[in-house]
Amino acid sequence: YHAMVAIASEITCIQQHLKQLQIGDIQGTKLIYDNQAILHIASNLVFHERANHIEVDYHFVREQVLSREITTEFFHSRD
């Protein structure tokens, strides 16, 4: 989850720069990840109660997913 938070932060920063420069459509930048459990935590509010050990600032990813700034997609790491 730490890696996903770092990537989401970078994506958000780049999106803000592109928005300031008025370049392209930046909604729904795709974040592809190989851990289904983390993707569920990021996109599903039900997992919040089970993931209380995750610090508050790591819920940033979930907020970005819910606001559709970032979309997530699973892929197998063997691919």
Side-chain angles (χ1 to χ4, degrees):
Y1 206 72
H2 293 287
M4 188 178 218
V5 171
I7 297 294
S9 296
E10 290 294 323
I11 288 171
T12 302
C13 182
I14 291 169
Q15 285 176 335
Q16 289 174 354
H17 288 299
L18 292 173
K19 189 181 290 184
Q20 288 175 350
L21 296 171
Q22 299 176 352
I23 298 175
D25 181 24
I26 57 172
Q27 284 292 86
T29 302
K30 190 180 294 186
L31 176 60
I32 302 172
Y33 209 70
D34 68 344
N35 187 322
Q36 285 183 338
I38 296 302
L39 293 176
H40 287 294
I41 289 171
S43 62
N44 191 345
L45 293 174
V46 175
F47 282 86
H48 174 65
E49 293 177 9
R50 298 182 193 173
N52 283 336
H53 63 282
I54 298 174
E55 296 179 30
V56 175
D57 57 351
Y58 294 109
H59 292 288
F60 167 76
V61 175
R62 187 178 66 213
E63 292 172 6
Q64 294 298 317
V65 169
L66 293 175
S67 69
R68 299 181 191 261
E69 295 290 324
I70 294 175
T71 59
T72 58
E73 184 177 314
F74 174 74
F75 77 98
H76 289 283
S77 55
R78 69 176 178 261
D79 295 336

